[in-house]
């Protein structure tokens, strides 16, 4: 693949996937193809470079800014307070970030300490967004567009359209890429897709579609991304998507954060575990009881967490994505 790029004398870009759900993969792009989507003029806005430049989201942010002759704000300190301080001081208009960072911002109440009124757009991606969090963001930032983004290291960011400001359903597909769903998993054919992995078998089908391993639901012309299939938990032959369980538990007003994962079990193979960050006004015993009761008529028996654990803080990795526990 590298020789192919050399032969046609075009630039290449090597990026590594985050390795959140498996070992990192080395992705090779034709950089000329990756840039092509930015030829269409966008908006001149002051944007924060939140994603690191070894991340496809960071590369996309830089390219969009350059192609639109805009301003880009760089920072080495991505703590919640520093980000909010920069937004206030430099009147940043676009915050591209993750749902986990936005949850940290709400949890810390940093948004109350600073003037964030300059924000025109908050864009999010890289992990599923719960409706509970999305609703809260719309309450806090009523004059700001909350925009979902979608893309992978293998494809770059793709043009999508949200159903509405408070919906996590998106419309996908345009002149540059097509989508299809095979056995509940999203497949993409894009002009900006990578050439392939340098250290891993090809993820392309025989007819050229990229198998993303992203689980999706389909509603008419809209799709809802439900996370990687590699997070699925097998409980006695039944499949449990952690996102489904997390979305139910997050509806409880005392739950600040929830991470659902698996634990090996001699009888069922795996059981469902939920780790919570809860409000100080409720004790752990009462929280466990209320979670179990709340889940009874909203989840199947095999989906309900067998064990409930607690954490004192929201756990994120270096990319400000949820730190996923062991998945069975």
């Amino acid at each position: 693949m590298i020789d192919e790029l050399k032969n046609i004398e075009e630039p290449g870009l090597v990026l590594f996937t985050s390795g959140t759900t498996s070992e990192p993969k080395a992705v090779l792009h034709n950089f000329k193809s990756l840039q092509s989507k930015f030829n269409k003029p966008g908006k001149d806005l002051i944007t924060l470079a939140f994603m690191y430049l070894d991340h496809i989201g960071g590369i996309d942010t830089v390219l969009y800014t350059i192609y639109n002759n805009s301003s880009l704000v760089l920072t080495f300190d991505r703590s919640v307070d520093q980000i909010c301080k920069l937004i206030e001081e430099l009147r940043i208009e676009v915050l591209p970030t993750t749902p986990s960072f936005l949850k940290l911002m709400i949890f810390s109440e940093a948004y109350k300490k600073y003037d964030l009124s300059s924000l025109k757009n908050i864009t999010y991606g890289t992990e599923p967004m719960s409706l509970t969090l999305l609703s809260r963001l719309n309450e806090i930032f009523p004059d700001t567009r909350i925009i979902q983004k979608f893309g992978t290291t293998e494809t770059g960011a793709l043009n999508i359209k949200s159903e509405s400001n408070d919906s996590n359903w998106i419309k996908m597909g345009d002149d540059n890429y097509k989508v299809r769903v095979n056995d509940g998993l999203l497949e993409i054919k894009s002009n900006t897709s990578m050439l392939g992995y340098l250290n891993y078998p090809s993820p392309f089908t025989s007819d050229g579609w990229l198998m993303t391993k992203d689980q999706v639901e389909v509603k008419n012309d809209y799709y809802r991304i439900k996370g990687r299939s590699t997070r699925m938990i097998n409980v006695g032959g039944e499949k449990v998507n952690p996102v489904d369980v997390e979305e139910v538990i997050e509806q409880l007003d005392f739950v600040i954060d929830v991470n659902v994962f698996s634990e090996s079990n001699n009888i069922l193979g795996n059981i469902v575990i939920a780790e919570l960050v809860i409000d100080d006004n409720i004790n752990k015993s009462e929280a466990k009881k209320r979670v179990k009761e709340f889940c009874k008529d909203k989840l199947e028996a095999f989906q309900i967490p067998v064990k409930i654990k607690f954490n004192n803080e929201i756990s994120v990795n270096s990319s400000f994505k949820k730190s996923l526990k062991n998945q069975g």
Side-chain angles (χ1 to χ4, degrees):
M1 289 185 291
I2 293 175
D3 286 341
E4 180 185 331
L5 279 175
K6 288 181 178 179
N7 290 336
I8 61 176
E9 298 184 342
E10 291 190 354
L13 173 69
V14 177
L15 291 172
F16 282 85
T17 61
S18 64
T20 302
T21 56
S22 63
E23 67 179 35
K25 302 175 183 68
V27 174
L28 178 65
H29 277 281
N30 180 321
F31 196 49
K32 183 178 178 180
S33 297
L34 197 63
Q35 292 181 73
S36 62
K37 63 185 175 185
F38 296 101
N39 290 325
K40 185 178 179 180
K43 296 180 179 180
D44 178 8
L45 298 169
I46 302 172
T47 302
L48 177 73
F50 183 86
M51 305 294 184
Y52 284 146
L53 301 189
D54 63 354
H55 185 282
I56 191 66
I59 297 291
D60 275 322
T61 299
V62 170
L63 290 176
Y64 185 91
T65 304
I66 290 172
Y67 271 79
N68 290 287
N69 197 29
S70 305
S71 299
L72 188 67
V73 177
L74 304 175
T75 177
F76 289 102
D77 181 354
R78 295 191 301 165
S79 63
V80 173
D81 273 277
Q82 173 64 7
I83 296 299
C84 291
K85 181 180 178 183
L86 284 172
I87 293 170
E88 178 181 84
E89 291 181 349
L90 302 177
R91 307 305 293 164
I92 290 170
E93 297 170 291
V94 182
L95 171 62
T97 186
T98 67
S100 289
F101 178 85
L102 294 169
K103 188 176 291 184
L104 281 169
M105 186 167 65
I106 293 173
F107 177 48
S108 66
E109 297 192 331
Y111 67 92
K112 294 181 179 179
K113 305 176 194 174
Y114 302 91
D115 177 8
L116 307 184
S117 60
S118 63
L119 283 177
K120 294 181 179 177
N121 298 327
I122 294 175
T123 66
Y124 65 89
T126 76
E127 59 183 354
M129 166 72 84
S130 73
L131 286 178
T132 302
L133 177 58
L134 190 55
S135 175
R136 186 77 180 104
L137 288 168
N138 277 283
E139 289 176 9
I140 295 171
F141 301 101
D143 300 320
T144 303
R145 291 182 66 205
I146 314 295
I147 305 169
Q148 183 172 357
K149 296 289 186 178
F150 178 77
T152 67
T153 308
E154 293 84 353
T155 64
L158 302 172
N159 289 325
I160 63 170
K161 181 180 179 182
S162 293
E163 184 181 39
S164 64
N165 219 38
D166 57 356
S167 171
N168 53 14
W169 289 87
I170 56 176
K171 186 174 285 188
M172 306 180 71
D174 62 16
D175 293 339
N176 294 314
Y177 77 101
K178 299 176 182 178
V179 296
R180 71 183 185 188
V181 177
N182 187 8
D183 196 24
L185 301 179
L186 184 68
E187 296 181 355
I188 298 172
K189 182 176 281 190
S190 169
N191 296 337
T192 60
S193 285
M194 67 173 184
L195 298 178
Y197 294 131
L198 298 180
N199 64 339
Y200 212 76
S202 173
F204 291 99
T205 63
S206 59
D207 55 347
W209 291 77
L210 175 72
M211 298 178 285
T212 68
K213 296 185 179 179
D214 279 318
Q215 284 204 318
V216 294
E217 287 183 12
V218 183
K219 180 182 70 174
N220 299 323
D221 294 332
Y222 288 89
Y223 301 81
R224 187 166 78 102
I225 312 297
K226 297 188 65 179
R228 290 296 172 95
S229 60
T230 47
R231 282 197 71 196
M232 292 291 287
I233 302 171
N234 190 329
V235 180
E238 300 283 359
K239 300 292 186 181
V240 178
N241 189 327
V243 173
D244 291 332
V245 183
E246 290 168 354
E247 286 185 341
V248 168
I249 296 175
E250 280 188 341
Q251 295 175 39
L252 289 160
D253 57 7
F254 62 85
V255 174
I256 296 167
D257 189 40
V258 56
N259 188 8
V260 170
F261 53 96
S262 66
E263 182 179 287
S264 296
N265 181 271
N266 291 332
I267 298 174
L268 297 173
N270 297 282
I271 55 174
V272 178
I273 311 295
E275 183 178 83
L276 310 181
V277 179
I278 59 173
D279 193 287
D280 292 336
N281 296 322
I282 187 171
N283 62 56
K284 293 177 181 179
S285 178
E286 177 65 18
K288 285 183 179 181
K289 180 181 177 182
R290 287 183 60 182
V291 168
K292 296 270 190 179
E293 286 296 321
F294 190 72
C295 289
K296 273 185 180 179
D297 61 348
K298 296 174 180 63
L299 296 171
E300 299 290 342
F302 60 86
Q303 295 176 298
I304 298 174
V306 174
K307 294 182 182 179
I308 296 175
K309 301 180 179 181
F310 296 91
N311 198 342
N312 293 325
E313 59 184 14
I314 298 173
S315 298
V316 296
N317 61 22
S318 60
S319 299
F320 277 88
K321 293 167 64 175
K322 181 181 288 187
S323 290
L324 301 179
K325 305 290 182 178
N326 176 53
Q327 304 297 323

